Amino acid sequence: MPIQFISDSKTFHLYNDSVSYIIKILPEGMPSHLYYGARLPLRDNYDYLMESIHRPMSVTRTENSSLSLEHIRSEFPSALSGDMRPGALCLRQANGSVITEFLYTSHSITKGKPALENLPACYVEGEEEAQTLVLVLEDALLHVRLELLYTIYENRPVLCRSARIVNDSDQQVILDTFLSASIDLPDDHYEMLDLAGAWARERHIDVHPLHTGCQSIYSLRGHSSHNFNPFLCLKKPWTTENTGEAFGFSLVYSGNFIASADVDTYNTTRVQLGINPTTFSWPLEQGESFQSPEAVLVYTKNGLNAMSQAFHSLFRQRLARGVWRDQARPILLNSWEGVYFDVREDEILHMAKEARDLGVDLFVLDDGWFKARNDDTSSLGDWVEDRSKLPHGLDGLSEQINNMGLEFGLWIEPEMISRHSDLFEAHPEWVLQVPGRRQSAGRNQYVLDFSNPQVVDAIYEQLRSLFDKISLSYVKWDMNRSLSEVYSLALDPSQQGTVYHRFILGVYRLYERLIERYPHILFESCASGGARFDPGMLYYAPQAWTSDDTDAIERLKIQYGTSMVYPISSMGSHVSACPNHQLNRYTPLKTRADVAYFGTFGYELNPIEMSEKEKEIVRKQIAFMKEHRELIQFGTFYRLRSPFDGNETAWMVVSEDQKTALVGYYRILQKVNSRYRRLFLQGLLPEQEYSISSFDYTQTGEELAQAGLIITDSSAGENNIDRSQGDFLSRLYLLRAID
Ligand code: GLA
């Protein structure tokens, strides 16, 4: 029974083996937060956790009351209504006031987890997997109802939160802020870890101690962005990858978000996540409701690897959907870095044939295939093939590729429009634009008004007629610019504050319609590389293009950072040609594959240009990945050594039965007369004896964890330099249990 209601003390205890989350309804009716962290024993009363101190200068609820909202830990604080910290909700009313008071009226505890209307969310596969508490609160003056949803999974250290508001009154109210979760922790002794970056260096790990005041990450770009990810973690300064407390907070949303930690001067920390209020103002008419996106909370006392593993397994098994969820992913060849916009049928077929001979499963035709698309200045919005490039059309091309024994995949960018396009000629009003004002360009393109269902329908119809006639197994859905000057010509001025959110709902709706009609298609999301690598997207597309940076060394940081939250099976990772197109760097073909294996794996180059020697190596790489992709994509992933800390990176993946493991070790620069080195492995069976590829001795799991795997250069020779291996070295170690 993971949700216990103790009626005498009006306390809710949500718990499983690893976590406890405790809420108390105060005598005045507010839900107050008492505890979140490691599992506590069951008792009838947790009132000792309320620290109610009457402090000077505090406002109290009434004259004789000692209750100051400023000094309680709140479950969902109303802005400016006695709690002096940032609110989770701000509701503008007809009389101009924003003051609200939501008090408990009832609750329900049910088995399972309800779906969220029109929004991506984690799910259950049987009612026994989770329980859901809905706290129903009401502002009695306004007749507005607030429902706080909490789902706790039985066997995961995971809690999902969201909120829903219903206008039961006969007047309009305007939601100016409506977050997904607000959590007050009685401590500020944490470091905040977030994933920050930019194009081609997405999701680098950023750690800093909390300071008094507010620290936040956010997006105002209309997509979750390269710059910040909708995720933050609070960890103790002594927390490591394998020990210590960590709270992970992730928002299942792909649009403008905010995630913040606000430390007050009494050392409490308020963590909040949700839709960014800066670009949000949502009128609620009589009878209407609004559902916030879902926030996923993970708690562990066993370090960052344990936190990440909880996210990985939840997002892989209970957020991603469809036939591809549990299937090893196809090894693909993507045409982008091979030919860019220079798409020609004969060359594409030649590339496909070479790819097939190498063992590739799927050929992906990237940008450049549709009408007059010779560079990035035109044609977005016209989803019809360019017959001068593809004389037999996409149907002819896909058929020929299928006949070779390869699956066929295609690139699209459905949310975008070029001024030079038939769609723009026909519907200039379908572009997001402010009347009378200049519209900023991004990559020479503009953004379609996906807040307008008519636009989404029209794009759906174009894609439907295209997809229906070709044999398509995979779609890469790209999105190559941020939104700016956002305004919908289809909406009333009073509705303009809804456009950013409606836009992302339009994206979700189009995804949903396409996956419903084409359930066999594997979708990979993309946004100039990894600008929309977020849990919202994973609900529709089980994999995402991690970054436009395909350099193996840069990818170490990008993939390592991404692994903080996202499963290996979701990370698009390809081997590309050298010199690398982003950095002009040469890295060994082995290293490029050894990094790309830890993802969905593929190639992004022109195989026609490869030498016979390279092809021989690639053939072996593909065979290796085919043998081990289940282990890599569905095993348990451990980070061992961080690229943010120095010259070396290491990680490993362990099969579910703990009988097989693959360790990846990467050294950026070669060193003279280098030190002795060991890797301390994780996740193996302590007593089990393992064989280790390239070693003629065996070790037990315990030995590999405690004494370590010796990775000192053994063939170093004079001066301890191995002349066969220089900079950018990588090694893989395959471990197998010996029966
Ligand atoms: C974006 C993507 C790339 C490629 C190009 C095509 O930059 O991230 O992978 O698809 O668009 O224009």
Side-chain angles (χ1 to χ4, degrees):
M1 175 72 178
I3 301 181
Q4 183 193 28
F5 174 55
I6 312 155
S7 54
D8 283 353
S9 58
K10 275 207 166 167
T11 303
F12 297 91
H13 185 180
L14 295 79
Y15 66 90
N16 57 28
D17 286 346
S18 8
V19 301
S20 280
Y21 188 104
I22 305 176
I23 304 163
K24 180 183 171 72
I25 308 296
L26 299 181
E28 293 81 356
M30 298 85 186
S32 172
H33 180 74
L34 293 194
Y35 177 80
Y36 178 37
R39 165 71 194 270
L40 294 185
L42 298 181
R43 52 172 89 246
D44 293 343
N45 190 315
Y46 294 91
D47 288 357
Y48 73 92
L49 287 168
M50 296 199 56
E51 292 155 282
S52 188
I53 298 177
H54 186 71
R55 297 181 187 271
M57 276 303 287
S58 301
V59 297
T60 53
R61 199 160 168 269
T62 58
E63 265 181 41
N64 299 317
S65 161
S66 61
L67 178 68
S68 168
L69 297 184
E70 202 181 335
H71 298 296
I72 64 161
R73 291 191 280 279
S74 176
E75 276 302 317
F76 208 77
S78 288
L80 308 170
S81 306
D83 181 327
M84 304 296 176
R85 297 160 290 179
L89 167 147
C90 184
L91 229 174
R92 206 148 26 97
Q93 300 142 44
N95 67 0
S97 161
V98 293
I99 304 308
T100 51
E101 183 168 63
F102 285 94
L103 302 181
Y104 170 87
T105 59
S106 64
H107 72 267
S108 64
I109 297 173
T110 49
K111 284 185 177 176
K113 181 175 191 298
L116 302 188
E117 211 181 320
N118 301 325
L119 281 171
C122 299
Y123 56 89
V124 289
E125 284 208 328
E127 286 211 318
E128 303 305 322
E129 278 188 11
Q131 280 195 9
T132 299
L133 164 69
V134 182
L135 284 183
V136 184
L137 317 176
E138 199 198 10
D139 183 298
L141 183 69
L142 294 177
H143 299 294
V144 172
R145 200 169 6 123
L146 173 64
E147 296 172 359
L148 303 181
L149 282 81
Y150 303 81
T151 298
I152 182 153
Y153 280 85
E154 179 89 46
N155 294 315
R156 300 172 185 274
V158 172
L159 199 92
C160 297
R161 284 191 58 176
S162 71
R164 182 168 174 265
I165 190 154
V166 189
N167 185 359
D168 293 326
S169 79
D170 53 7
Q171 292 193 352
Q172 184 200 61
V173 291
I174 298 170
L175 279 177
D176 281 339
T177 300
F178 194 61
L179 300 183
S180 298
S182 185
I183 302 106
D184 287 342
L185 300 171
D187 183 8
D188 67 350
H189 196 196
Y190 294 109
E191 288 177 343
M192 172 165 151
L193 181 155
D194 57 80
L195 304 174
W199 175 79
R201 55 175 171 85
E202 295 91 335
R203 290 172 300 286
H204 282 202
I205 294 175
D206 188 35
V207 186
H208 44 85
L210 285 190
H211 59 75
T212 309
C214 192
Q215 38 251 285
S216 65
I217 51 167
Y218 63 91
S219 172
L220 292 172
R221 295 168 179 269
H223 52 101
S224 46
S225 89
H226 295 106
N227 309 69
F228 296 116
N229 199 257
F231 163 78
L232 75 79
C233 160
L234 294 188
K235 65 180 199 68
K236 289 293 176 192
W238 51 84
T239 296
T240 67
E241 284 288 0
N242 301 311
T243 59
E245 269 201 306
F247 293 89
F249 304 95
S250 166
L251 188 70
V252 186
Y253 191 56
S254 312
N256 287 347
F257 73 92
I258 183 142
S260 61
D262 185 80
V263 178
D264 71 8
T265 51
Y266 305 101
N267 297 9
T268 70
T269 304
R270 173 165 287 177
V271 180
Q272 296 188 317
L273 286 97
I275 295 178
N276 197 322
T278 311
T279 50
F280 177 79
S281 177
W282 193 280
L284 266 193
E285 305 300 333
Q286 177 181 9
E288 285 183 349
S289 64
F290 186 88
Q291 167 69 54
S292 80
E294 177 162 279
V296 177
L297 284 57
V298 167
Y299 169 80
T300 178
K301 50 182 178 181
N302 300 319
L304 295 173
N305 270 323
M307 176 196 74
S308 301
Q309 287 160 8
F311 278 119
H312 293 178
S313 124
L314 180 77
F315 287 174
R316 187 167 67 70
Q317 298 168 337
R318 294 293 180 267
L319 179 63
R321 299 176 295 167
V323 293
W324 283 102
R325 189 188 78 173
D326 301 324
Q327 276 189 61
R329 302 303 159 71
I331 295 170
L332 62 81
L333 185 119
N334 176 296
S335 65
W336 180 241
E337 289 196 15
V339 294
Y340 291 102
F341 293 103
D342 191 14
V343 170
R344 279 178 292 111
E345 188 182 270
D346 53 348
E347 188 172 10
I348 294 296
L349 288 172
H350 188 178
M351 285 169 81
K353 189 177 161 308
E354 293 286 347
R356 192 266 326 266
D357 291 346
L358 295 171
V360 160
D361 302 311
L362 163 73
F363 183 89
V364 178
L365 182 57
D366 207 283
D367 201 351
W369 59 265
F370 48 104
K371 239 177 67 193
R373 177 77 167 172
N374 298 319
D375 53 36
D376 64 16
T377 61
S378 81
S379 313
L380 293 167
D382 299 344
W383 301 108
V384 211
E385 64 268 60
D386 188 331
R387 290 265 167 182
S388 69
K389 295 180 174 189
L390 303 171
H392 297 91
L394 277 176
D395 45 342
L397 183 78
S398 62
E399 195 187 318
Q400 290 201 61
I401 288 182
N402 282 173
N403 289 342
M404 290 178 192
L406 281 174
E407 301 291 326
F408 179 69
L410 194 64
W411 176 97
I412 54 170
E413 199 181 352
E415 297 145 80
M416 295 295 154
I417 182 164
S418 308
R419 286 235 162 109
H420 298 291
S421 67
D422 293 347
L423 188 67
F424 188 85
E425 297 249 311
H427 289 290
E429 79 285 5
W430 281 3
V431 178
L432 287 174
Q433 58 195 289
V434 182
R437 289 200 184 272
R438 159 189 77 71
Q439 184 67 3
S440 303
R443 207 201 190 197
N444 300 308
Q445 65 196 47
Y446 300 87
V447 185
L448 280 171
D449 180 4
F450 263 42
S451 76
N452 178 355
Q454 209 193 340
V455 177
V456 176
D457 287 351
I459 296 296
Y460 172 77
E461 281 310 321
Q462 275 207 51
L463 295 177
R464 193 189 52 76
S465 60
L466 179 72
F467 291 6
D468 275 358
K469 69 167 192 180
I470 51 178
S471 158
L472 197 59
S473 309
Y474 164 105
V475 166
K476 176 175 170 189
W477 175 323
D478 208 341
M479 196 276 183
N480 280 313
R481 66 157 287 183
S482 300
L483 278 54
S484 64
E485 298 105 9
V486 167
Y487 189 98
S488 167
L489 296 183
L491 285 171
D492 189 74
S494 65
Q495 294 287 332
Q496 295 302 326
T498 68
V499 179
Y500 274 102
H501 183 59
R502 284 185 199 274
F503 177 88
I504 215 71
L505 292 180
V507 172
Y508 291 154
R509 199 163 47 245
L510 182 58
Y511 255 118
E512 193 66 46
R513 290 179 76 180
L514 290 173
I515 61 178
E516 228 168 68
R517 187 172 176 93
Y518 308 100
H520 64 284
I521 290 183
L522 171 61
F523 281 88
E524 176 155 346
S525 75
C526 173
S528 289
R532 205 159 61 180
F533 202 127
D534 59 60
M537 281 291 123
L538 288 185
Y539 186 68
Y540 305 95
Q543 59 190 59
W545 182 226
T546 313
S547 176
D548 275 347
D549 197 333
T550 56
D551 174 75
I553 301 308
E554 289 299 300
R555 274 293 185 124
L556 291 173
K557 286 185 175 164
I558 296 168
Q559 292 177 206
Y560 196 93
T562 304
S563 82
M564 239 342 124
V565 193
Y566 303 101
I568 300 306
S569 60
S570 69
M571 285 190 226
S573 52
H574 301 166
V575 172
S576 60
C578 273
N580 173 268
H581 292 196
Q582 291 77 44
L583 285 164
N584 215 31
R585 180 184 280 152
Y586 287 87
T587 50
L589 184 49
K590 170 174 165 48
T591 304
R592 282 176 264 158
D594 285 355
V595 176
Y597 288 141
F598 290 85
T600 58
F601 199 66
Y603 291 80
E604 177 136 353
L605 41 72
N606 191 339
I608 304 170
E609 290 164 5
M610 278 176 5
S611 68
E612 281 312 312
K613 199 174 152 205
E614 284 173 324
K615 285 183 196 166
E616 202 41 52
I617 298 172
V618 166
R619 235 171 256 130
K620 289 191 184 134
Q621 292 176 341
I622 292 176
F624 176 86
M625 186 59 179
K626 283 189 176 165
E627 194 183 339
H628 299 294
R629 56 185 156 181
E630 272 89 3
L631 162 69
I632 296 173
Q633 293 168 357
F634 306 130
T636 307
F637 183 78
Y638 291 86
R639 289 176 298 270
L640 300 177
R641 198 160 287 179
S642 170
F644 299 97
D645 291 344
N647 196 37
E648 295 169 298
T649 300
W651 51 46
M652 70 185 288
V653 66
V654 183
S655 64
E656 205 185 327
D657 65 5
Q658 298 168 281
K659 296 255 170 109
T660 318
L662 184 69
V663 179
Y665 167 76
Y666 312 89
R667 186 188 65 205
I668 299 176
L669 295 182
Q670 165 79 302
K671 301 277 178 193
V672 175
N673 197 12
S674 61
R675 299 159 200 261
Y676 296 106
R677 283 193 298 272
R678 289 179 190 205
L679 279 179
F680 299 95
L681 304 191
Q682 298 287 324
L684 300 171
L685 294 166
E687 319 247 293
Q688 175 67 56
E689 201 76 41
Y690 292 90
S691 66
I692 307 157
S693 60
S694 70
F695 289 156
D696 55 8
Y697 55 84
T698 63
Q699 285 176 265
T700 65
E702 182 76 1
E703 285 174 304
L704 286 159
Q706 300 305 328
L709 174 75
I710 294 178
I711 52 168
T712 310
D713 293 334
S714 52
S715 56
E718 204 186 335
N719 290 342
N720 195 21
I721 295 178
D722 179 351
R723 298 202 182 274
S724 66
Q725 298 172 326
D727 296 342
F728 314 133
L729 161 145
S730 71
R731 288 199 202 123
L732 293 182
Y733 301 89
L734 184 65
L735 281 75
R736 289 186 205 268
I738 302 172
D739 288 331

